[in-house]
């Protein structure tokens, strides 16, 4: 039974009871910067005085935004018709830098400074959009956009990399401008930044359309995983959920099982009207498919700034050591960081 069915939690929402249906229009409409970047701008970005590249990046992106403001929206063209040559200047900008230098802040600032139609999403959200709409549907839907911003471009899955690279090539042919940041390849984690040469090589034919913009600065990754706050008991989780407006209360195992029946593109809708998440019996996940679904859910909860109150093992132990050393390491590290941050929020 879903956790929310108990008398103690009569007012709580059970995520396991939800099977959201999401329209294509909603999927595209929700491709906006997450709430924590809803009000950012180039003016609110504070460059490090010791890093000239940060000032230069702001200037380049402001010029890019100005060129988009002065151009007409890209017309939607036929699927098989070859488009006219792209306008002068780069079709895309790649922000190349380590963690904590403000790449997402600048990416969101560009989005805010550009008139629509426009879209902002992570690499995972983009692949989920293709899965929901089909490749052709995604091309047709996004080809009318002026700008597409892709945060956390991931290169740990060759199939997805080729899929998105091909999609972006079609969009560039149809006049859509691009801006991207990327995650670090697993073997590059200690280097402090991704390296533009690797990004441009992996996106193959699309690389000619991108101008790399390097952003130097301190890399915080060497600090390792954050320490998670101690978990609560099952009874404490249930009691806190019962007195929290907009609470979602679920048993961890039941929620993980439920995620197998919900397309990742709908994980955001799964959290509609939820103000806080309560989980009982969190344990280490040793199945990779399950772990990757949890990563996507963690991203959607983090986007919505939902505090998490949980019992069981702390979130810095939710993925196995083998997973944290494997090909999806960066995804799991990001998820741990975000889950721990949300767990800390619940303790405030």
């Amino acid at each position: 039974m879903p956790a929310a069915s108990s008398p103690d939690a009569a007012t709580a929402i059970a995520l396991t009871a939800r099977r959201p249906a999401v329209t294509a229009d909603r999927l595209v409409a929700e491709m906006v910067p997450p709430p924590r970047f809803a009000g950012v701008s180039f003016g609110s970005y504070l460059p490090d005085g010791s890093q000239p590249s940060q000032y230069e990046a702001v200037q380049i992106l402001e010029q890019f935004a100005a060129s988009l403001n002065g151009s007409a929206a890209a017309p939607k063209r036929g699927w098989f018709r070859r488009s006219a040559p792209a306008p002068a200047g780069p079709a895309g900008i790649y922000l190349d830098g380590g963690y904590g230098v403000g790449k997402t802040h600048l990416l969101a600032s560009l989005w805010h400074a550009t008139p629509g139609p426009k879209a902002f999403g992570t690499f995972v959200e983009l692949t989920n959009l293709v899965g929901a709409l089909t490749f052709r549907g995604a091309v047709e839907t996004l080809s009318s956009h002026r700008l597409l911003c892709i945060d956390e471009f991931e290169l740990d899955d060759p199939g997805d990399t080729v899929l998105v690279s091909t999609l972006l090539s079609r969009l560039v042919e149809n006049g859509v401008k691009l801006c991207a940041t990327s995650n670090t390849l697993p073997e590059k984690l200690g280097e402090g930044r991704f390296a533009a040469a690797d990004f441009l090589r992996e996106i193959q034919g699309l690389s000619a359309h991108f101008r790399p913009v390097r952003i130097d600065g301190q890399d915080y990754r060497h600090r390792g995983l954050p320490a998670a706050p101690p978990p609560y008991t099952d009874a404490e989780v249930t009691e806190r959920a019962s007195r929290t407006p907009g609470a979602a209360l679920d048993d961890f195992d039941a929620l993980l099982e439920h995620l197998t029946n919900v397309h990742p593109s709908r994980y955001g809708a799964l959290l509609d009207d939820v103000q806080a998440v309560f989980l009982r019996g969190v344990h280490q996940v040793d199945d990779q498919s399950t772990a990757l679904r949890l990563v996507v859910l963690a991203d959607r909860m983090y986007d919505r700034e939902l505090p998490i109150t949980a019992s069981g093992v702390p979130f810095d132990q939710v993925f196995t050591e083998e997973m944290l050393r494997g090909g999806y390491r960066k995804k799991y590290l990001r998820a741990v960081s975000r889950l721990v941050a949300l767990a800390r929020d619940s303790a405030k």
Side-chain angles (χ1 to χ4, degrees):
M1 292 290 292
S5 63
S6 65
D8 291 335
T11 61
I13 299 164
L15 298 181
T16 51
R18 293 183 159 189
R19 293 185 179 273
V22 182
T23 66
D25 288 342
R26 172 173 172 172
L27 286 175
V28 177
E30 289 183 342
M31 293 188 71
V32 299
R36 64 184 65 242
F37 295 105
V40 300
S41 66
F42 293 127
S44 65
Y45 179 77
L46 302 177
D48 183 340
S50 65
Q51 301 292 345
S53 64
Q54 295 187 9
Y55 289 93
E56 183 180 2
V58 173
Q59 293 175 340
I60 292 172
L61 288 174
E62 285 180 330
Q63 293 169 1
F64 192 54
S67 70
L68 292 171
N69 283 320
S71 63
K76 186 174 181 179
R77 297 186 174 91
W79 172 255
F80 295 106
R81 188 183 310 165
R82 187 167 182 83
S83 60
I93 289 180
Y94 164 62
L95 301 180
D96 173 33
Y99 177 77
V101 297
K103 299 190 302 297
T104 300
H105 183 129
L106 290 174
L107 188 68
S109 298
L110 173 65
W111 188 90
H112 288 303
T114 303
K118 55 190 176 181
F120 182 109
T122 64
F123 179 89
V124 171
E125 288 174 308
L126 195 57
T127 58
N128 289 340
L129 182 71
V130 174
L133 302 184
T134 73
F135 182 85
R136 177 170 182 163
V139 172
E140 292 179 342
T141 299
L142 295 175
S143 286
S144 62
H145 283 50
R146 188 186 300 247
L147 173 69
L148 174 62
C149 295
I150 310 105
D151 201 19
E152 300 174 350
F153 201 109
E154 298 181 354
L155 301 175
D156 45 25
D157 187 318
D160 283 347
T161 301
V162 171
L163 172 70
V164 174
S165 179
T166 305
L167 171 66
L168 298 185
S169 294
R170 298 289 185 274
L171 297 180
V172 167
E173 290 172 1
N174 287 338
V176 181
K177 296 289 188 176
L178 309 171
C179 190
T181 71
S182 77
N183 275 337
T184 308
L185 284 170
E187 65 272 17
K188 303 283 189 178
L189 277 171
E191 296 184 2
R193 68 187 188 89
F194 175 76
D198 292 333
F199 172 79
L200 297 176
R201 182 182 65 250
E202 294 295 335
I203 61 174
Q204 300 174 19
L206 190 62
S207 61
H209 299 290
F210 273 89
R211 174 184 179 180
V213 175
R214 179 169 177 170
I215 308 175
D216 295 308
Q218 184 180 6
D219 182 355
Y220 294 95
R221 261 192 306 267
H222 65 277
R223 295 182 179 177
L225 293 176
Y232 296 88
T233 66
D234 286 354
E236 288 173 329
V237 171
T238 302
E239 190 275 331
R240 285 171 175 260
S242 69
R243 55 184 172 85
T244 302
L249 173 61
D250 291 272
D251 291 314
F252 191 62
D253 268 332
L255 180 59
L256 294 181
E257 176 62 26
H258 186 60
L259 293 180
T260 66
N261 299 310
V262 179
H263 192 277
S265 66
R266 301 178 181 180
Y267 286 6
L270 199 65
L271 299 166
D272 283 353
D273 303 320
V274 172
Q275 302 300 317
V277 173
F278 294 80
L279 297 173
R280 293 186 295 213
V282 173
H283 59 79
Q284 192 170 75
V285 177
D286 56 11
D287 174 73
Q288 187 139 271
S289 295
T290 302
L292 291 173
R293 285 190 289 268
L294 179 59
V295 168
V296 177
L297 181 65
D299 286 341
R300 300 293 78 77
M301 292 190 294
Y302 186 76
D303 289 346
R304 289 158 177 76
E305 300 180 315
L306 301 179
I308 303 175
T309 302
S311 64
V313 304
F315 283 118
D316 55 3
Q317 300 175 26
V318 75
F319 301 113
T320 67
E321 287 298 323
E322 182 180 3
M323 288 178 176
L324 295 178
R325 293 193 301 267
Y328 295 110
R329 177 183 178 185
K330 183 61 184 294
K331 290 185 179 182
Y332 297 137
L333 293 177
R334 183 181 76 234
V336 168
S337 177
R338 292 181 169 186
L339 289 169
V340 168
L342 297 176
R344 286 175 173 167
D345 288 345
S346 74
K348 293 178 181 178

